[in-house]
Amino acid sequence: MTAGRRLFPTLTGVYGVLRLHDGLLEFVPDGSPAALWRVPATTVTVTQRGYFASSDLSLNSPDTGELGVTVSRDRISRFLGSENRERRQRLYADELLGALVLSGATLR
């Protein structure tokens, strides 16, 4: 899944891929050969943000601090928004939230 932020933060946010595998959540920035960070899902607290928030989920762990995350299976547009795309991203965020909780993350 791709991670990023919407609206003006899209111009300054870090883009890349979130991977959840074998109980570990990692983030690989665009253009990087390796993960910037990797944490056990059991150390992550995940919060679903409101509809008008600039990101769909908030992820928090002792190693990463709080991160606002927009989730997509498609490349996230940094300049143009689309209501249909944003609806799909909310669904993708729901899927990631469920997978994190099943992997031991705390839902807040």
Side-chain angles (χ1 to χ4, degrees), residues 1-2 6 13 23 32 39 44 54 67 77-78 82 84-85 96:
M1 295 194 165
T2 303
R6 278 196 294 254
S32 175
V39 297
V44 176
S54 63
L67 304 170
S77 172
R78 298 175 193 217
S82 162
N84 288 331
R85 182 175 43 238
L96 178 60

Side-chain angles (χ1 to χ4, degrees), residues 12-89:
T12 60
V14 177
Y15 288 78
V17 177
L18 282 172
R19 294 187 184 123
L20 179 61
H21 184 66
D22 292 334
L24 293 174
L25 179 66
E26 69 178 16
F27 177 72
V28 180
D30 283 353
S32 175
L36 178 63
W37 52 261
R38 181 178 296 120
V39 297
T42 55
T43 67
V44 176
T45 300
V46 60
T47 305
Q48 189 163 27
R49 292 184 169 180
Y51 184 78
F52 295 105
S54 63
S55 57
D56 300 323
L57 298 176
S58 174
L59 304 178
N60 196 332
S61 81
D63 293 329
T64 64
E66 186 169 349
L67 304 170
V69 178
T70 296
V71 182
S72 183
R73 292 184 180 171
D74 307 311
R75 196 149 192 65
I76 294 175
S77 172
R78 298 175 193 217
F79 303 105
L80 299 174
S82 162
E83 191 173 324
N84 288 331
R85 182 175 43 238
E86 289 180 13
R87 277 193 217 121
R88 286 192 312 271
Q89 289 171 347

Side-chain angles (χ1 to χ4, degrees), residues 90-105:
R90 297 293 292 176
L91 294 174
Y92 301 146
D94 289 345
E95 290 176 13
L96 178 60
L97 184 143
L100 284 167
V101 169
L102 286 173
S103 296

